[in-house]
Amino acid sequence: MAMKKIGIITLIIITFLSACQSNETSPKESTDNSTIEKELNKKESIDDVPNDEAKDQASDETSEQKDNINGEQEKKEDYVNEDGIVVISDPNDIHLVVNKQRKLPDGYEPEDLVVPNVPFSFDEWNEKKQMREVAAKAMEKLFAESAKQGMELVAVSGYRSFERQKAIYNYNVETQGLEHAQKYSAMPGHSEHQTGLTMDVSAATVAFSLEEDFRQTKEGEWLEKHAHEYGFIIRYPKGKEEITGYSYEPWHIRYVGKDVAKEIYEQQITLEEFFNLVP
Ligand SMILES: [Zn+2]
């Protein structure tokens, strides 16, 4: 209870601080999906996120209890917007599928973000330490068990707000042009990091980098074999680029719950294939 209050107060303070503060040092972050974002990270100014229209609050439905793995049922109320993009109706669904064709509702922000108690590649506060509570708890179990097996996994980048993604995207448009930006960076609402169900992880032996090399570390190998036991999948597997729209990312894990993760792992398929949402 007290912890939760402290958490909420901390969040409020941070929201205020981040409105006025810039130039936090940000560690190397991938950006999954785009080399451009890496450059962005060198330019700290992108971290000041423009502020701050009041955000639409996400619906109060908490649906993480739902364990219906029948995707078709769950996706029924999604709708297609004027740009031909599917807007996800229930952004709190742990089985949601966000990709280049499917986006979160504008301004979506999870209501239950917490910082998992796991080692990070950096010390200072950053919104990207957060995950949704259900994913954070699973993450703690995964890290604890991997440590027992002698692994030294490190968390690098989790939640990314709509505003930060928007700032990154707009920056890319300004500096690289629209076409390039569209190709290499996720548009706001289309980044899986905005769901709060994702974390990029790495290891000291590859200097916490988010590169394919990570797969060659003992941590990377362990993660590929065991992530599903804790409810996570390797979201962008090798050889599935056409389906996911993204290159192989052995470091990017996504929480989907144990049942779905097990199926996906055993069948060696993607989240899109599992829910019959292959573009
Ligand atoms: Zn990622």
Side-chain angles (χ1 to χ4, degrees), residues 1-10 112 114 133:
M1 217 28 167
M3 286 295 287
K4 205 160 193 181
K5 263 188 191 162
I6 291 167
I8 290 166
I9 290 164
T10 311
D112 57 352
V114 295
E133 197 169 10

Side-chain angles (χ1 to χ4, degrees), residues 30-33 157-158 160 191-193 198-201 210 235-236 249 251-253:
S30 121
T31 68
D32 302 324
N33 323 333
S157 184
R160 191 182 299 152
S191 171
E192 196 173 61
H193 282 273
T198 284
M199 184 65 81
D200 296 327
V201 300
L210 305 177
R235 177 69 175 91
Y236 305 117
E249 296 190 355
W251 62 84
H252 176 119
I253 56 173

Side-chain angles (χ1 to χ4, degrees), residues 106-264:
D106 284 353
Y108 170 67
E109 184 180 302
E111 291 176 348
D112 57 352
L113 292 170
V114 295
V115 176
N117 184 19
V118 300
F120 279 89
S121 59
F122 57 98
D123 295 326
E124 70 279 6
W125 162 261
N126 190 301
E127 72 170 17
K128 68 186 176 189
K129 281 190 166 179
Q130 302 170 99
M131 298 183 91
R132 287 187 55 201
E133 197 169 10
V134 64
K137 283 191 174 143
M139 193 75 180
E140 287 171 356
K141 284 186 191 147
L142 182 153
F143 268 64
E145 194 52 43
S146 71
K148 278 190 208 158
Q149 314 279 322
M151 304 298 136
E152 296 178 61
L153 280 170
V154 174
V156 178
S157 184
Y159 173 66
R160 191 182 299 152
S161 65
F162 182 87
E163 285 72 18
R164 178 163 155 75
Q165 190 68 35
K166 189 163 126 187
I168 290 169
Y169 183 79
N170 289 343
Y171 177 84
N172 285 339
V173 172
E174 277 165 34
T175 56
Q176 314 283 332
L178 182 63
E179 198 181 333
H180 196 276
Q182 280 173 336
K183 195 164 173 190
Y184 293 104
S185 60
M187 290 178 71
H190 289 268
S191 171
E192 196 173 61
H193 282 273
Q194 199 193 327
T195 66
L197 297 171
T198 284
M199 184 65 81
D200 296 327
V201 300
S202 190
T205 49
V206 286
F208 312 128
S209 75
L210 305 177
E211 313 271 351
E212 271 198 51
D213 291 0
F214 171 62
R215 176 59 184 79
Q216 308 311 320
T217 64
K218 63 181 183 178
E219 285 80 9
E221 192 173 336
W222 185 92
L223 192 69
E224 185 170 296
K225 290 188 181 136
H226 299 282
H228 69 280
E229 295 163 17
Y230 306 89
F232 289 91
I233 58 169
I234 306 293
R235 177 69 175 91
Y236 305 117
K238 199 165 196 157
K240 300 281 191 176
E241 292 81 359
E242 298 269 299
I243 295 171
T244 63
Y246 292 108
S247 305
Y248 178 42
E249 296 190 355
W251 62 84
H252 176 119
I253 56 173
R254 154 74 194 276
Y255 184 76
V256 292
K258 286 185 190 174
D259 295 343
V260 172
K262 184 168 180 281
E263 285 294 314
I264 286 178

Side-chain angles (χ1 to χ4, degrees), residues 30-57:
S30 121
T31 68
D32 302 324
N33 323 333
S34 91
T35 36
I36 295 193
E37 266 188 75
K38 274 174 198 159
E39 285 180 18
L40 264 177
N41 287 317
K42 293 177 202 152
K43 310 189 187 251
E44 298 295 340
S45 62
I46 196 63
D47 275 338
D48 336 318
V49 171
N51 274 305
D52 227 337
E53 311 93 340
K55 288 167 230 145
D56 288 347
Q57 281 309 309

